[in-house]
Amino acid sequence: LQPIDPAKLPASARGQQRLANPQGKNHYKDRGRTVEPVFGQIKTIQTLTRFTRLGYAAARSEWLFSCAVHNLCKYINHSTGRARTQPA
């Protein structure tokens, strides 16, 4: 048997391989502290659950605008010492 090229495996199988060892599990745990909260805040606080504009370029610009709003709110909160600012 020849070894299977990981690039030819489906994404789900590659993810399972990464999570099979302790280092991969620790790396995945870090997502809960780094990436996932941002998506949750954009989804709940900004109520961005779907894009309102059609087309890839329009949806991408809407996403980038939401990310900019998120970052501005973080900047304002940290610079003024306030707990949380919800966009209007």
Side-chain angles (χ1 to χ4, degrees):
L1 293 171
Q2 293 180 346
I4 297 173
D5 182 18
K8 294 182 181 179
L9 291 173
S12 59
R14 289 194 310 265
Q16 287 175 347
Q17 279 186 343
R18 274 188 231 117
L19 292 175
N21 63 32
Q23 181 184 4
K25 288 180 185 177
N26 286 335
H27 181 70
Y28 188 74
K29 267 197 262 185
D30 288 340
R31 285 181 56 91
R33 288 178 289 212
T34 56
V35 178
E36 301 297 335
V38 174
F39 293 135
Q41 290 170 5
I42 288 175
K43 185 176 179 181
T44 57
I45 294 173
Q46 295 183 21
T47 63
L48 181 68
T49 55
R50 64 176 55 184
F51 296 110
T52 57
R53 300 171 63 209
L54 297 177
Y56 175 78
R60 186 172 190 274
S61 68
E62 190 175 345
W63 173 252
L64 292 175
F65 181 73
S66 276
C67 291
V69 169
H70 173 78
N71 288 331
L72 281 172
C73 287
K74 277 178 64 171
Y75 175 75
I76 291 168
N77 290 338
H78 289 288
S79 64
T80 61
R82 296 186 341 190
R84 177 183 287 182
T85 300
Q86 292 188 2

